[in-house]
């Protein structure tokens, strides 16, 4: 059983002020060509199809063309899609009953009532059946009514309990989970600027809850990486969606499952975007002189280090590079400015802050007894 694992297409996304329509069309076209050539048994898309919950007509057209391009391949390749946190579950699920007849399985919503179950798609190869479980992006509140008993509000518990009620046969069958959450376990995940997370990182799911699957096809993180084990994997985006990803190597992930109990094989196929994302640092002269013909149309982030600010740097750079994302300056002047801002932001300890305030209002410093009272109040506040 060989399948493509994709996620985070973010169709309709802009990179700074540039529309990525052409870039996305070309890269999705390359995926279609790989599908024609390799003819996988399935194509899995693990969420964040669109960049926005209300995608533009242009974005919908790009995805439509992608699905159409895949669906004309003979014999037909099943396509398994879940929604991500950027997608509107309802919009994505539109016409899903009709699409199902064309082997396009779209799971927009996680189970919301006790009568609903995760969508399961069973495919067969020479070793028997493989069950694919589709788990769209969820928050604990989405699935609260699935369970009779009270549920703790953690993401790990929500995922674990949803999987438990599916009675999955992990021993004699091969199972694949498709999920779009922030899985953690083992080393620290590598994140980048094009992802959006909830503040404080309360949305993580412990990877222990999914380790019994033969393969876990994840979406959400944009850098390709495994989580705790070889078979639990984020495939990452097909394109670089922020300057912070400039060193990423974006690839197409192809997974091969052999007989039950064997480790899946992972292949990473090269992709050829029309424009790369690059970061350049140096004096304006250096950057202009060292520009290669092959990178002149790339998306470029420039950091200038000239001590004397050059005259109209953006205009000069634009004569060489056609797609400039940003021009930053890092020299003694800007560093001093940053330091000044840092100093303004230094947080004093609470007693010191109050002493300043007291002095300002009373016109005299606090006496020893007042300091003692203040320390007690602060101690109480800390405990409270
Ligand atoms: Mn995403």
């Amino acid at each position: 059983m060989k399948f493509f694992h994709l996620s985070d297409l973010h169709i309709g996304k802009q990179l700074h002020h540039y529309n990525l329509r052409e870039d996305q069309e070309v890269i999705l076209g390359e995926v279609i060509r790989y599908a024609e050539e390799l003819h996988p048994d399935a194509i899995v898309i693990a969420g964040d199809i669109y960049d926005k919950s209300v995608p533009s007509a242009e974005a919908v057209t790009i995805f439509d063309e992608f699905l159409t391009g895949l669906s004309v391949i003979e014999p037909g390749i099943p396509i398994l899609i879940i929604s991500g946190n950027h997608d509107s579950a309802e919009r994505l699920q539109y016409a899903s009953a009709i699409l199902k007849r064309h082997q396009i399985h779209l799971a927009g919503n996680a189970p919301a009532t006790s009568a609903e179950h995760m969508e399961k798609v069973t495919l067969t190869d020479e070793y028997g059946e493989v069950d694919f479980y589709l788990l769209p992006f969820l928050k604990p509140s989405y699935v609260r009514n699935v369970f009779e008993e009270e549920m703790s509000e953690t993401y790990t518990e929500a995922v674990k309990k949803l999987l438990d009620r599916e009675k999955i046969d992990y021993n004699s069958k091969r199972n694949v989970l498709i999920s779009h959450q922030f899985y953690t376990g083992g080393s620290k995940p590598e994140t980048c600027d094009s992802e959006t997370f909830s503040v404080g990182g309360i949305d993580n799911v412990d990877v222990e809850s999914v380790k019994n699957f033969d393969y876990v096809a994840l979406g959400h993180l944009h850098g390709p990486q495994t989580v705790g084990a070889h078979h639990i994997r984020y495939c990452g985006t097909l394109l670089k969606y922020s300057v912070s990803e400039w060193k990423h190597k974006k690839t197409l992930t192809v997974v091969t499952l052999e007989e039950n109990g064997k480790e899946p094989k992972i292949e990473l196929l090269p992709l050829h975007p029309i424009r790369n994302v690059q970061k350049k640092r140096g004096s304006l002269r250096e950057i202009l002189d060292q520009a290669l013909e092959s990178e002149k149309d790339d998306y470029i982030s420039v950091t200038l280090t000239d001590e004397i600010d050059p005259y109209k740097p953006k205009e000069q750079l634009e004569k060489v590079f056609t797609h400039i994302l940003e021009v930053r300056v890092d020299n003694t002047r800007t560093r001093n400015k940053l330091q000044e801002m840092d100093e303004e932001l230094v947080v004093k300890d609470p007693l010191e802050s109050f002493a300043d305030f007291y002095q300002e209002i009373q016109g005299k410093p606090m006496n020893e007894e007042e300091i003692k009272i203040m320390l007690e109040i602060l101690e109480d506040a800390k405990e409270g």
Side-chain angles (χ1 to χ4, degrees):
M1 171 83 42
K2 188 205 294 259
F3 59 91
F4 288 2
H5 170 192
L6 314 173
S7 81
D8 297 85
L9 306 180
H10 285 272
I11 297 172
K13 188 170 175 58
Q14 300 228 333
L15 184 60
H16 293 231
H17 48 289
Y18 291 105
N19 179 327
L20 294 177
R21 176 184 184 144
E22 208 191 347
D23 308 71
Q24 293 185 325
E25 281 175 339
V26 166
I27 218 73
L28 293 171
E30 191 167 16
V31 173
I32 294 171
R33 280 202 306 284
Y34 271 127
E36 286 166 345
E37 186 191 319
L38 302 172
H39 210 283
D41 300 293
I43 293 172
V44 165
I45 312 178
D48 281 0
I49 307 306
Y50 297 112
D51 191 54
K52 293 190 169 68
S53 58
V54 184
S56 65
E58 184 178 284
V60 174
T61 305
I62 295 172
F63 188 52
D64 181 41
E65 283 169 2
F66 178 54
L67 288 185
T68 306
L70 291 174
S71 67
V72 296
I73 299 172
E74 293 284 349
I77 303 170
I79 305 173
L80 283 50
I81 303 168
I82 61 166
S83 64
N85 54 315
H86 280 253
D87 299 307
S88 153
E90 283 72 25
R91 278 171 198 272
L92 198 68
Q93 205 144 356
Y94 171 75
S96 60
I98 299 165
L99 290 170
K100 200 177 212 160
R101 284 195 247 140
H102 298 273
Q103 299 196 73
I104 298 174
H105 303 268
L106 262 167
N109 284 305
T113 66
S114 60
E116 291 174 16
H117 279 267
M118 279 169 63
E119 183 161 0
K120 179 173 88 172
V121 178
T122 303
L123 301 175
T124 312
D125 66 6
E126 66 265 42
Y127 303 108
E129 291 184 337
V130 178
D131 288 339
F132 288 80
Y133 289 89
L134 280 64
L135 182 60
F137 172 74
L138 62 89
K139 294 181 178 178
S141 59
Y142 298 0
V143 299
R144 192 185 292 138
N145 295 327
V146 174
F147 310 101
E148 269 173 31
E149 73 276 27
E150 276 285 307
M151 202 179 73
S152 83
E153 289 286 288
T154 72
Y155 282 67
T156 299
E157 175 118 350
V159 168
K160 207 168 149 4
K161 286 202 152 177
L162 277 181
L163 292 173
D164 280 349
R165 66 196 278 279
E166 299 301 330
K167 308 267 175 274
I168 301 168
D169 175 0
Y170 291 113
N171 294 317
S172 57
K173 275 199 139 181
R174 289 169 297 162
N175 303 286
V176 174
L177 176 68
I178 309 169
S179 178
H180 189 100
Q181 305 285 154
F182 183 32
Y183 283 87
T184 53
S187 55
K188 198 177 173 295
E190 184 209 333
T191 59
C192 54
D193 292 345
S194 61
E195 298 153 350
T196 42
F197 294 107
S198 63
V199 183
I202 43 98
D203 54 352
N204 73 295
V205 177
D206 187 342
V207 81
E208 277 294 308
S209 49
V210 299
K211 69 171 193 314
N212 288 329
F213 283 90
D214 295 272
Y215 186 76
V216 184
L218 295 177
H220 198 37
L221 297 185
H222 291 179
Q225 58 199 287
T226 58
V227 189
H230 168 78
H231 68 289
I232 305 173
R233 171 178 282 273
Y234 286 102
C235 59
T237 50
L238 297 171
L239 291 167
K240 297 177 184 179
Y241 283 145
S242 67
V243 174
S244 71
E245 291 157 69
W246 73 289
K247 279 187 174 166
H248 282 192
K249 195 167 163 40
K250 304 293 189 181
T251 55
L252 173 63
T253 303
V254 184
V255 182
T256 307
L257 286 182
E258 294 176 327
E259 64 251 57
N260 195 6
K262 265 201 158 182
E263 280 266 288
K265 274 190 196 148
I266 313 292
E267 258 177 294
L268 304 175
L269 304 180
L271 290 168
H272 303 86
I274 44 174
R275 292 177 202 97
N276 192 7
V277 174
Q278 293 216 53
K279 210 171 165 176
K280 295 197 168 284
R281 185 186 168 88
S283 69
L284 180 63
R285 197 67 273 144
E286 283 164 0
I287 289 173
L288 292 175
D289 288 350
Q290 290 163 16
L292 302 172
E293 202 53 48
S294 61
E295 61 187 18
K296 289 183 176 170
D297 286 330
D298 285 351
Y299 296 110
I300 312 268
S301 161
V302 177
T303 304
L304 296 174
T305 56
D306 303 76
E307 280 303 331
I308 298 162
D309 290 340
Y311 178 69
K312 291 193 173 178
K314 183 131 195 277
E315 280 81 347
Q316 296 197 59
L317 287 162
E318 274 170 344
K319 284 180 193 150
V320 174
F321 299 108
T322 58
H323 294 77
I324 294 171
L325 298 174
E326 58 190 359
V327 181
R328 295 162 176 269
V329 179
D330 182 17
N331 58 20
T332 312
R333 179 182 62 81
T334 59
R335 274 194 296 269
N336 286 344
K337 210 168 165 191
L338 272 177
Q339 209 177 343
E340 276 167 34
M341 280 161 66
D342 270 356
E343 276 159 16
E344 280 169 29
L345 283 171
V346 167
V347 181
K348 293 181 172 175
D349 87 279
L351 182 69
E352 210 180 315
S353 300
F354 185 78
D356 287 353
F357 172 72
Y358 185 99
Q359 170 86 39
E360 199 179 322
I361 300 296
Q362 299 287 333
K364 59 174 186 189
M366 287 194 285
N367 63 34
E368 260 175 51
E369 200 185 339
E370 285 163 340
I371 291 175
K372 221 178 118 203
I373 293 168
M374 202 53 217
L375 276 171
E376 276 165 24
I377 292 169
L378 287 170
E379 204 50 46
D380 280 356
K382 230 192 248 169
E383 278 164 22

